[in-house]
Amino acid sequence: MQKKKILVTGGAGFIGSHLCERLLNEGNEVICLDNYFTGSKSNVVHLMDNPYFELVRHDVSYPFSIEVDEIYNLACPASPIHYQHDAIQTVKTSVMGAINMLGLAKRLNIKVLQASTSEVYGDPNVHPQVESYWGNVNPVGIRSCYDEGKRCAETLFMDYHRQNNVKIKIIRIFNTYGPNMNPNDGRVVSNFIVQALRNEDVTIFGDGTQTRSFQYVDDLVEAMVRMMNTDDSFTGPVNIGNPGEFTMLELANMIIELTGSKSKIIFQPLPTDDPKQRKPNIELAKEKLNWEPKVKLQDGLVKTIEYFKKII
Ligand code: NAD
Ligand code: UDP
């Protein structure tokens, strides 16, 4: 395959760092753009000896100019505690970031892939979620900065495509976990593993009957690269996730067992607008990307636990 110059925004984050590594391993040149809001140089420090890897400190909500062949737009905090920390900046990152990356893709006539999210479905009334479902999102709640920011970014992607023929790809990522998650990230898998390894109380929000579908990061990265390489006529949006559905109670018990932890489970209030259930329908990804996730939750958790054992 021909060597490409690829821009990854949010490349020092959890998912971005895995994507940068994969793209470098395929022989590409990678420019990783990040403002280190939730990401960290430590996620990519092992790539820095590679002369085809460059790091750029920049906020994607401001214009950025460079000559590249493809863009993966991942810059945006993904954990509720972090995206709610500065809600206005979260909207700017999603919306201005999308405009800036789409403008760049338009000028260069290149493909740009948007890391959208299952949060565009909000607290879904359709289960499992299909791409044609428009969602059930509160526009004025504490999750709205993220949900509506990502929805507006999808709108911008589609409008740049319709109006300016920009080559776009939209993937809707469902809950993803794996090594390089920040131990203070606040998302459920990292929280439970860190708590279990420290023999601290495992904090379930609500009664633990809400569900999520967890995808291991390697499966996601495979789908991202496949999506980028689809024919220009396929824009998505396409769901990328693992349809295995688990309650938070099941997840907590599984992690306590896998870590051999002495932790107790405790129950804390459910955050506002917390979706009750989530599970992707991945028929479109199967058809268009010839992809489906391979890593079972238990196997992915074992690898993630090994990672956290080393860093905490
Ligand atoms: P993350 O927080 O680890 O990574 C996000 C990265 O973006 C970080 O390195 C952060 O510093 C950077 N960033 C944030 N604001 C920025 C800005 N204004 N300018 C430049 N960089 C900025 O999160 P992640 O889990 O790796 O998520 C990556 C992308 O995937 C996000 O767009 C997120 O919305 C999307 N996504 C993730 C999940 C998931 O479960 N992990 C699910 C759905 C969608
Ligand atoms: N959650 C929990 N304990 C925690 C962190 C999260 O029970 O310590 C719950 C949270 O309320 C939600 C689910 O786990 O129902 C997934 O939360 P996360 O923040 O990982 O992702 P999202 O809600 O964005 O899917």
Side-chain angles (χ1 to χ4, degrees):
M1 209 184 279
Q2 211 194 343
K3 198 186 195 93
K4 288 176 281 193
K5 225 195 241 181
I6 303 175
L7 174 64
V8 179
T9 78
F14 156 51
I15 296 171
S17 58
H18 289 272
L19 179 65
C20 287
E21 186 167 342
R22 161 75 186 257
L23 296 172
L24 282 170
N25 286 344
E26 285 179 350
N28 300 296
E29 209 171 317
V30 173
I31 296 102
C32 166
L33 179 155
D34 208 294
N35 70 349
Y36 307 116
F37 175 51
T38 50
S40 157
K41 274 191 188 168
S42 62
N43 284 337
V44 287
V45 73
H46 62 294
L47 307 176
M48 284 177 180
D49 288 341
N50 188 325
Y52 295 104
F53 182 69
E54 270 174 70
L55 262 183
V56 180
R57 182 189 290 264
H58 182 78
D59 181 336
V60 79
S61 60
Y62 293 92
F64 181 71
S65 197
I66 194 169
E67 303 295 313
V68 286
D69 303 310
E70 280 175 1
I71 306 170
Y72 288 84
N73 187 35
L74 277 68
C76 186
S79 151
I81 52 168
H82 289 119
Y83 69 65
Q84 287 163 21
H85 170 75
D86 186 347
I88 296 167
Q89 181 57 40
T90 298
V91 176
K92 285 186 187 168
T93 295
S94 271
V95 175
M96 299 310 299
I99 290 172
N100 290 329
M101 289 307 116
L102 285 160
L104 184 58
K106 179 181 163 188
R107 178 170 72 75
L108 298 173
N109 191 23
I110 58 167
K111 288 191 258 192
V112 55
L113 180 146
Q114 169 67 357
S116 190
T117 169
S118 53
E119 287 284 322
V120 300
Y121 301 120
D123 191 3
N125 297 320
V126 168
H127 195 74
Q129 290 79 57
V130 275
E131 290 84 352
S132 53
Y133 175 49
W134 291 352
N136 175 36
V137 175
N138 176 358
V140 292
I142 56 170
R143 290 176 87 101
S144 313
C145 60
Y146 183 73
D147 300 7
E148 296 291 15
K150 288 283 188 180
R151 285 169 66 97
C152 185
E154 286 199 9
T155 306
L156 285 162
F157 267 70
M158 290 309 299
D159 285 335
Y160 269 77
H161 175 66
R162 281 187 287 253
Q163 220 171 303
N164 297 131
N165 294 317
V166 175
K167 296 169 195 156
I168 62 142
K169 308 279 173 195
I170 301 173
I171 57 167
R172 293 184 177 154
I173 303 170
F174 283 64
N175 295 63
T176 304
Y177 68 97
N180 294 3
M181 288 186 98
N182 183 334
N184 303 314
D185 182 81
R187 279 178 282 187
V188 70
V189 173
S190 46
N191 268 14
F192 286 1
I193 292 178
V194 170
Q195 290 162 342
L197 288 176
R198 292 181 174 151
N199 292 311
E200 292 169 2
D201 290 343
V202 169
T203 52
I204 288 191
F205 301 162
D207 62 6
T209 57
Q210 71 271 38
T211 67
R212 294 292 186 274
S213 299
F214 297 103
Q215 144 175 265
Y216 190 65
V217 64
D218 290 358
D219 283 330
L220 166 62
V221 167
E222 178 63 35
M224 293 177 99
V225 173
R226 284 183 188 221
M227 180 64 177
M228 187 61 106
N229 292 332
T230 52
D231 188 85
D232 288 351
S233 62
F234 183 58
T235 61
V238 57
N239 290 337
I240 304 295
N242 189 323
E245 187 182 7
F246 297 86
T247 66
M248 294 314 101
L249 208 49
E250 286 170 328
L251 180 72
N253 282 319
M254 202 183 280
I255 289 174
I256 289 172
E257 194 184 315
L258 289 173
T259 50
S261 172
K262 297 188 185 63
S263 294
K264 290 196 309 315
I265 288 177
I266 60 163
F267 294 88
Q268 293 184 346
L270 190 66
T272 316
D273 291 342
D274 199 282
K276 282 182 281 304
Q277 53 181 6
R278 187 179 291 151
K279 172 183 163 134
N281 173 311
I282 57 164
E283 291 310 308
L284 188 61
K286 281 187 188 163
E287 181 198 327
K288 298 287 189 181
L289 312 182
N290 190 23
W291 170 91
E292 62 183 311
K294 295 201 162 38
V295 183
K296 290 200 188 75
L297 180 59
Q298 177 143 342
D299 299 339
L301 286 177
V302 168
K303 293 185 196 186
T304 311
I305 289 166
E306 286 314 307
Y307 167 76
F308 278 110
K309 273 186 187 162
K310 280 188 231 135
I311 64 147
I312 61 165

